[in-house]
């Protein structure tokens, strides 16, 4: 069925959703189409204010929890029933796009707004959440809000600092949260029924399949490491090559070795990235003494990811010895992959067929708050097509029509999850 036919049978309000998408993209706008909306920043706080307004207009009561999550609640017929949660995040990459995360939050609000306009009171309560710090670059560890409510924070997390030396604890306080009371904001497994997230695909498969929406089967789990390589500084003009302990030469060889290890199995689903590299006290005529770089390693297959990690650790050690360097590896984040709940995939599938879609199934290489929510409840994810699969880039784009189809699918799936007896 052509997409135009689908958009004619929408219950959700496509114009309202498009308007909200456009309005929110002004908060932290970067150039023509990009967004820079760091977590727990003044601009995210302003954007939260706008999102909270839209939650209230949609018939929800709104709260900011102590993890920095913004949550809107629509009561169900049974106020004590476990909650159906839906949402995503509105923090962005430093030079990000305006769709990553935002589409999930605004589509969820749109779905609840539609229910309220139709006078639908679901059996279970629905909570729409905009999670705190999904992206993770500011404090070097992401998925903070979802890890918080599910009880997955680690010791010392609130003391992590951003590039300006501000701790997460300080940033939370300035944002209006009380980090000393975070246990009060946790969910128990009994308090939550299920979680549903809509997100842009951030990959090219839906475009190739010529479909506006897809059903996620599982999410690859990332491990984030920081590698510190230590050598000895010296004069670039006087130290003979054979006597050098050049940390940057060692780090460069490690980065290439890592790339080769990850791509060893061309059929494999492992991906690895070095996204940050820092040479301390860099000067063109000083032999680099200290270099730090990051590792992002992911797979849906945990055994394969673990094997890659073992290989990279061995290889880095060998390279360090070769150049008379020291290497130190610390783990910043370690989230296991997970598969979406089959019964929720089935609901998304039947609702997409009812809409005349032929939504393909696919794995998510990007991580999402849904991955963390899987530690507490059943969950599902809907993907929406984005142009050329471009994401984490100001060029990210998804059409209003595709977003409306995705939001409609979310609305229908939510009704099934929350119950409409
Ligand atoms: C989240 O944005 C990720 O890096 O997958
Ligand atoms: Mn995202
Ligand atoms: Mn992202």
């Amino acid at each position: 069925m052509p997409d135009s036919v689908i958009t004619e049978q929408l219950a959700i309000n496509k114009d309202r959703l498009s308007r909200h998408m456009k309005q929110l993209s002004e908060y932290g706008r970067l150039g023509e189409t990009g967004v820079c909306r760091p977590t727990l920043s003044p601009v995210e706080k302003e954007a939260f204010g706008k999102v909270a307004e839209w939650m209230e207009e949609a018939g929800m009561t709104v709260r900011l929890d102590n993890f920095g999550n913004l949550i809107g609640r629509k009561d169900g017929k049974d106020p004590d029933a476990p909650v159906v949660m839906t949402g995503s995040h509105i923090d962005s990459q430093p030079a990000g796009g305006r769709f990553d995360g935002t589409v999930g939050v605004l589509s969820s609000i749109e779905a609840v707004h539609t229910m309220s306009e139709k006078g639908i009171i679901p059996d279970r309560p629905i909570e729409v959440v905009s999670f705190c710090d999904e992206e993770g670059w500011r404090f070097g560890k992401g998925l903070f809000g979802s890890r918080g409510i599910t009880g997955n924070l680690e010791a010392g997390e609130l003391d992590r600092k951003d590039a300006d030396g501000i701790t997460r604890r300080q940033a939370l306080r300035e944002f209006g949260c009380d980090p000393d009371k975070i246990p009060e904001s946790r969910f128990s497994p009994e308090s939550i029924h299920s979680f549903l997230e809509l997100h842009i695909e951030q990959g090219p498969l839906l475009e190739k399949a010529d479909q506006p929406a897809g059903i996620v089967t599982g999410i690859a789990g990332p491990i984030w490491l920081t590698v510190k390589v230590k050598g000895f500084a010296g004069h670039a003009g006087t130290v003979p090559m054979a006597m050098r302990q050049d940390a940057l030469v060692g780090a460069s060889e490690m980065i290439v070795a890592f790339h080769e290890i990850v791509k060893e199995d061309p059929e494999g689903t492992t991906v690895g990235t070095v996204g940050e590299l820092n040479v301390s006290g860099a000067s063109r005529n000083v032999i680099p003494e200290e270099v730090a770089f990051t590792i992002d390693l992911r797979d849906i297959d945990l055994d394969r990811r673990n094997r890659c990690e073992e290989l990279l650790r061995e290889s880095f050690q060998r390279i360090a010895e070769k150049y008379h360097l020291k290497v130190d590896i610390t783990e910043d984040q370690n989230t296991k992959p997970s598969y979406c709940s089959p019964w929720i995939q089935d609901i998304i599938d039947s609702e997409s067929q009812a809409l005349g879609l032929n939504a393909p199934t696919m794995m998510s290489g990007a991580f999402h708050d849904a991955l963390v929510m899987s530690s507490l409840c059943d969950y599902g994810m809907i993907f929406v097509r984005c142009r050329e699969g471009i994401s984490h880039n100001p060029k990210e784009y998804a059409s209003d029509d595709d977003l409306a189809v995705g939001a409609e699918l979310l609305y229908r799936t939510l009704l099934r999850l929350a119950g409409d007896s």
Side-chain angles (χ1 to χ4, degrees), residues 6-18 106-115 117-118 355 400-412:
I6 296 165
T7 52
E8 277 160 23
Q9 59 185 55
L10 300 176
I12 61 110
N13 185 328
K14 178 184 154 189
D15 293 340
R16 183 168 54 207
L17 177 59
S18 309
L106 298 188
S107 300
S108 298
I109 295 173
E110 181 50 43
V112 171
H113 203 147
T114 303
M115 287 178 205
E117 278 175 342
K118 288 180 176 296
L355 265 174
D400 286 352
D401 278 356
D402 286 359
L403 292 182
V405 170
E408 183 73 16
L409 189 52
L410 179 91
Y411 165 72
R412 287 170 174 239

Side-chain angles (χ1 to χ4, degrees), residues 332-393:
D332 299 310
Q333 178 157 334
N334 187 345
T335 314
K336 289 194 175 66
S338 113
Y339 287 94
C340 296
S341 309
W343 67 274
I344 301 185
Q345 291 184 53
D346 287 347
I347 294 180
I348 301 171
D349 187 36
S350 72
E351 292 302 329
S352 65
Q353 286 183 37
L355 265 174
L357 299 171
N358 186 15
T361 54
M362 60 192 57
M363 211 266 297
S364 174
F367 62 71
H368 302 285
D369 292 298
L371 177 60
V372 178
M373 294 307 293
S374 71
S375 67
L376 210 62
C377 61
D378 286 351
Y379 81 104
M381 270 199 89
I382 297 167
F383 269 172
V384 170
R385 167 169 59 192
C386 65
R387 192 163 63 200
E388 293 172 35
I390 295 171
S391 187
H392 283 188
N393 184 322

Side-chain angles (χ1 to χ4, degrees), residues 28-41:
R29 187 155 85 104
L30 189 72
E32 279 300 297
T33 58
V35 165
C36 174
R37 210 183 290 134
T39 189
L40 298 175
S41 62

Side-chain angles (χ1 to χ4, degrees), residues 89 100-101 134-135 199 368:
H89 62 98
D100 178 356
E134 189 270 354
E135 297 288 5
H199 205 278
H368 302 285

Side-chain angles (χ1 to χ4, degrees), residues 186-252:
R186 271 193 211 131
F187 278 71
S188 66
E190 303 77 46
S191 64
I192 181 151
H193 172 267
S194 50
F195 179 75
L196 181 66
E197 179 165 359
L198 177 143
H199 205 278
I200 52 163
E201 183 201 342
Q202 306 181 282
L205 300 182
L206 286 170
E207 203 170 58
K208 265 195 201 137
D210 196 22
Q211 286 294 319
I215 305 160
V216 180
T217 51
I219 306 176
I223 182 163
W224 282 3
L225 307 172
T226 298
V227 183
K228 288 199 175 120
V229 186
K230 181 113 171 60
F232 194 78
H235 197 292
T238 59
V239 183
M241 294 309 279
M243 288 177 66
R244 293 183 180 215
Q245 288 170 264
D246 186 329
L248 186 54
V249 171
S252 308

